[in-house]
Amino acid sequence: MNSKLVIYNTLNRRKELFVPLNAPHVGMYVCGPTVYGDPHLGHTRPAITFDVLFRYLTHLGYKVRYVRNITDVGHLEHDADEGEDKIEKKARLEQLEPMEVAQYYTNRYHDAMKVLNVLPPSIEPHATGHIIEQEELVKEIVDNGFGYISDGSVYFDVLKYNEKFHYGILSGRNLEDVQNTSRELDGQEEKHHPVDFALWKKATPEHIMRWSSPWSKGFPGWHCECTAMGRKYLGNHFDIHGGGMDLIFPHHECEIAQAVASQGDMMVKYWMHNNMLTINGQKMAKSLGNFITLEQLFTGKHELLTQAYSPMTIRFFILQAHYRSTVDFSNDALLAAEKGLARINDAIRNLKRITPSKTTNGMNVQDICEKCYDAMNDDLNTPIVIATLFDATRQINSVVDKKATISAPDLEELTKIFRIFFYEILGIKEEVGANNKAREEAYGKVVDMVLEQRQRAKANKDWATSDKIRNELTEFGFEIKDTKDGFTWNLNK
């Protein structure tokens, strides 16, 4: 399969032609959520980014196995090796079982992804369901001399690893930089060096989530789950590993070290990272307390919002920026996205109203298609795809206004272009009713205005005009009833 797709590989810091290891099969692993709170706007960036990649690879004809994990144990506060497990802390505060918390927020995440039209992955493994695989990974690292046991916990020996390999290959950091920025945290005296990270943690008495292991009753380090589960479902070598840029260091750097230390070579060929979604220039995150949940966006109940926004407006807002660029949230940006989305949706509806001509004049449909493919092949450049569809929108409006013409074959091809790129690849879907309150109100006012014109015609005994309005509205599917106080109407379609 000859693909022209080029993607930016964080590992080599350049765009590279995408050549799968075992075409037409593609293995893709993406870091999913830590399920201890409601999904927020920041969660949408990686979900939508890699959903579009999944969609496009599938469109190109690849058979994609897409793995996206659920972290339900081991992710400690501040991404450190000490402190409370984020899920356990939530469970303690709400007086629930940890798995009750994890299940509740996993369900909430799934609900949010569904309304955002994010396709489910091929496999969605949970960290708690793969303790055995993580223990096996730790054993291999220790057996190969890159891990050590300290008071029941197991740590990765970064200095020893760096003597043979390169710790920092993904993030571009050298060991001196890591040493200078490492924090000396309380309770970490058992480490040989502050830069070492936990592979297995011995559970303290108050720690609820614990499993038996050769070293102690405890739980796996946060970084282990993705290495272990990626290898289980995609093999020792697979094509793509994705996630947010905030995961490059330490999470993905540690994943690389674990893979090399256990099997002797790199597991992943292409590393892809989306940039951050910020609010007032600062990363949006639960840990920073500056996030807006998706429920707040859908209801408009947040101090920074002036109204509710539909899921497709949120998706369109995300895709208007390239996945490797920063997106700064604002209410004005969402308003602009809502208007832009409405323009394209109106153009798609207008396609159905067009009566084709013998020839096309005023547009080049083939050029529109080629520009969309070129943009997608250039590291998923969705903003260029959207800009191209906006150009097509202007051309469609010109045809509707009788300032240009389009032939039947070109009209069919243009309709296909919007179906493929807008609906199938960008993943925008039609929204009916929900979150379109303003549109529905305007629509109703127009119908009322037309019927008021009919009332005036009746008052002036202009029966021809009155009947014409009634008959045409009836033909469009409206049921009109005259009352002593005026009229009522209902759309039966």
Side-chain angles (χ1 to χ4, degrees):
M1 183 179 297
N2 292 321
S3 169
K4 298 179 181 178
L5 174 61
V6 172
I7 57 178
Y8 184 87
N9 190 349
T10 307
L11 184 65
N12 299 321
R13 296 168 188 78
R14 64 172 181 263
K15 291 181 183 179
E16 297 177 359
L17 182 67
F18 178 66
V19 181
L21 294 169
N22 300 293
H25 300 279
V26 173
M28 181 170 79
Y29 188 102
V30 175
C31 288
T34 301
V35 283
Y36 70 103
D38 272 335
H40 60 72
L41 188 57
H43 290 131
T44 64
R45 193 89 195 268
I48 291 172
T49 294
F50 293 102
D51 180 59
V52 170
L53 177 60
F54 181 31
R55 289 169 177 271
Y56 191 55
L57 289 171
T58 302
H59 172 75
L60 293 176
Y62 292 113
K63 299 180 185 299
V64 186
R65 177 176 287 179
Y66 176 19
V67 181
R68 186 186 66 206
N69 68 295
I70 295 290
T71 298
D72 53 3
V73 69
H75 196 167
L76 306 186
E77 291 184 289
H78 313 299
D79 299 347
D81 286 335
E82 295 295 331
E84 281 193 272
D85 182 294
K86 293 183 177 184
I87 293 169
E88 277 204 2
K89 181 179 180 180
K90 187 77 169 182
R92 178 175 55 79
L93 293 174
E94 297 188 7
Q95 296 183 312
L96 298 170
E97 282 289 331
M99 284 298 97
E100 200 171 356
V101 170
Q103 187 64 60
Y104 176 79
Y105 288 112
T106 297
N107 293 344
R108 299 277 285 179
Y109 179 76
H110 287 159
D111 291 344
M113 294 303 102
K114 186 174 182 179
V115 298
L116 287 167
N117 205 27
V118 171
L119 299 175
S122 313
I123 302 172
E124 190 176 57
H126 291 231
T128 54
H130 296 78
I131 300 299
I132 292 173
E133 289 84 356
Q134 293 177 76
E135 288 186 15
E136 289 174 351
L137 172 68
V138 176
K139 288 177 188 175
E140 290 174 8
I141 294 172
V142 172
D143 290 345
N144 291 340
F146 296 108
Y148 59 90
I149 304 164
S150 179
D151 191 27
S153 292
V154 185
Y155 291 96
F156 190 96
D157 194 329
V158 173
L159 272 65
K160 190 169 183 180
Y161 173 85
N162 198 61
E163 291 174 0
K164 186 175 181 180
F165 304 104
H166 178 198
Y167 183 77
I169 190 172
L170 184 68
S171 61
R173 305 185 187 200
N174 57 49
L175 194 55
E176 289 72 27
D177 294 333
V178 178
Q179 289 173 327
N180 291 335
T181 56
S182 295
R183 296 174 295 168
E184 292 282 359
L185 297 174
D186 292 339
Q188 297 206 67
E189 297 84 358
E190 56 195 36
K191 287 185 180 183
H192 288 178
H193 197 280
V195 300
D196 296 346
F197 58 89
L199 298 170
W200 182 268
K201 286 293 293 179
K202 179 182 179 180
T204 56
E206 66 274 8
H207 205 100
I208 303 171
M209 301 172 79
R210 59 176 71 204
W211 290 264
S212 295
S213 79
W215 315 288
S216 64
K217 285 194 173 182
F219 54 94
W222 172 40
H223 310 303
C224 288
E225 62 176 285
C226 293
T227 306
M229 294 191 296
R231 182 166 65 182
K232 179 178 177 67
Y233 295 109
L234 299 174
N236 285 1
H237 305 97
F238 58 89
D239 299 294
I240 298 170
H241 195 317
M245 284 183 68
D246 57 331
L247 297 178
I248 293 176
F249 188 88
H251 187 49
H252 289 167
E253 196 74 76
C254 293
E255 279 193 56
I256 290 177
Q258 291 171 159
V260 174
S262 62
Q263 67 184 39
D265 60 359
M266 300 275 281
M267 184 180 288
V268 179
K269 185 176 181 180
Y270 302 96
W271 287 87
M272 296 181 69
H273 295 90
N274 63 274
N275 211 322
M276 294 299 98
L277 197 148
T278 60
I279 182 166
N280 297 322
Q282 187 181 36
K283 171 193 165 186
M284 184 179 291
K286 284 201 289 277
S287 58
L288 299 174
N290 65 346
F291 62 95
I292 298 177
T293 67
L294 291 174
E295 184 175 350
Q296 288 171 324
L297 284 161
F298 299 156
T299 60
K301 294 178 180 179
H302 190 281
E303 60 183 7
L304 295 178
L305 302 173
T306 60
Q307 64 174 65
Y309 293 96
S310 74
M312 289 304 98
T313 298
I314 305 303
R315 188 175 179 108
F316 192 73
F317 165 68
I318 296 294
L319 293 175
Q320 280 183 307
H322 190 271
Y323 78 90
R324 287 192 292 114
S325 66
T326 304
V327 175
D328 196 50
F329 164 84
S330 71
N331 187 76
D332 288 343
L334 285 177
L335 284 171
E338 184 178 63
K339 290 178 181 178
L341 177 61
R343 281 178 57 200
I344 294 181
N345 278 327
D346 287 343
I348 293 172
R349 282 189 285 269
N350 281 337
L351 280 171
K352 300 173 183 176
R353 298 171 47 204
I354 291 174
T355 301
S357 302
K358 291 183 179 180
T359 60
T360 298
N361 179 31
M363 72 169 68
N364 185 333
V365 175
Q366 186 59 37
D367 184 56
I368 294 169
C369 185
E370 288 177 2
K371 284 181 178 179
C372 286
Y373 273 115
D374 287 347
M376 286 303 300
N377 285 332
D378 184 16
D379 196 28
L380 308 182
N381 203 327
T382 58
I384 298 299
V385 174
I386 290 173
T388 303
L389 295 179
F390 272 131
D391 286 340
T393 293
R394 285 190 286 271
Q395 294 167 2
I396 290 168
N397 292 338
S398 293
V399 174
V400 172
D401 294 339
K402 310 298 184 185
K403 296 176 182 177
T405 60
I406 187 169
S407 67
D410 279 348
L411 179 60
E412 183 180 352
E413 180 65 18
L414 189 57
T415 303
K416 180 181 176 182
I417 288 170
F418 274 93
R419 174 178 57 78
I420 290 174
F421 287 96
F422 197 59
Y423 293 136
E424 295 179 8
I425 294 175
L426 295 187
I428 304 297
K429 66 179 180 180
E430 292 185 79
E431 294 176 302
V432 180
N435 298 303
N436 278 328
K437 186 177 179 181
R439 179 184 293 272
E440 290 177 1
E441 287 179 355
Y443 167 80
K445 289 177 181 178
V446 170
V447 176
D448 287 342
M449 181 177 69
V450 171
L451 288 174
E452 285 168 2
Q453 294 281 355
R454 177 173 175 267
Q455 288 293 98
R456 280 194 285 272
K458 286 176 64 179
N460 294 330
K461 302 188 184 306
D462 183 357
W463 310 118
T465 299
S466 172
D467 291 344
K468 183 175 185 295
I469 292 174
R470 182 189 182 95
N471 293 340
E472 289 190 1
L473 286 175
T474 301
E475 185 179 336
F476 294 152
F478 289 92
E479 180 183 353
I480 312 300
K481 290 184 178 180
D482 292 312
T483 68
K484 62 179 182 180
D485 298 319
F487 58 82
T488 62
W489 61 270
N490 184 51
L491 181 62
N492 290 327
K493 287 188 177 181

